[in-house]
Amino acid sequence: MHATSIPWNDPSGDRLRDWLQIDRETFYDESRIAIVPMGFCYPGRGKGGDLPPRPECAQTWHERLLALLPNLQLTLLVGQYAQRHYLPHWHGSITENVRHYRDALPAGYFPLPHPSPRNTLWLRQRPWFEAEVVPELRLRVKKILKV
């Protein structure tokens, strides 16, 4: 992603698009999908991967940006930072947020783990995600995008 300046232009994006069951063209169609990061600059690298997004980014920009997107029908909360910021109640872990994704649906949110290849073990240890959560996600996306 950093080399191309295109968000989700990497194996994580490939996995995310697979979960959504949409192609690259649809994913990057700005008239249908908005991609809003938690941070607007690369925070740098830490011991275990990228550093957390800078908190002032979301605090400063999200409300303003989302006001310009009045027709949002579903917001994917990808990873812990998005979930901690947007979920009205934090279930204590990514696993619990994703397991209880239905709790967030009335507010228009759908919590997901980060699709990074680094999370392959997480996915392997939780087969219920692919069996139960991904089909529901695909159904909702298909209905919204009419694909």
Side-chain angles (χ1 to χ4, degrees), residues 19-32:
W19 289 348
L20 301 172
Q21 213 165 40
I22 59 174
D23 59 24
R24 289 178 65 86
E25 183 179 343
T26 302
F27 186 78
Y28 291 112
D29 181 346
E30 294 176 0
S31 70
R32 301 172 86 189

Side-chain angles (χ1 to χ4, degrees), residues 12-134:
S12 296
D14 295 339
R15 180 177 272 164
L16 179 59
R17 286 185 290 277
D18 179 60
W19 289 348
L20 301 172
Q21 213 165 40
I22 59 174
D23 59 24
R24 289 178 65 86
E25 183 179 343
T26 302
F27 186 78
Y28 291 112
D29 181 346
E30 294 176 0
S31 70
R32 301 172 86 189
I33 294 180
I35 300 172
V36 179
M38 290 306 295
F40 296 92
C41 61
Y42 180 58
R45 191 133 173 90
K47 274 185 182 179
D50 292 347
L51 292 172
R54 296 174 55 114
E56 67 270 19
C57 289
Q59 293 167 0
T60 302
W61 296 108
H62 277 216
E63 188 175 331
R64 293 179 197 180
L65 282 172
L66 295 177
L68 299 172
L69 303 168
N71 298 319
L72 287 179
Q73 295 181 50
L74 185 66
T75 300
L76 307 182
L77 301 177
V78 180
Q80 69 170 317
Y81 302 115
Q83 291 171 27
R84 284 185 190 269
H85 186 81
Y86 281 102
L87 289 181
H89 52 340
W90 172 255
H91 282 287
S93 71
I94 293 287
T95 299
E96 290 308 305
N97 284 332
V98 172
R99 185 186 315 272
H100 299 286
Y101 72 90
R102 287 180 185 89
D103 294 350
L105 288 174
Y109 299 130
F110 203 115
L112 295 171
H114 196 285
S116 167
R118 296 182 69 160
N119 285 336
T120 299
L121 180 61
W122 186 96
L123 295 166
R124 211 177 289 139
Q125 292 174 339
R126 294 158 182 86
W128 52 264
F129 175 74
E130 290 278 350
E132 301 166 27
V133 179
V134 170

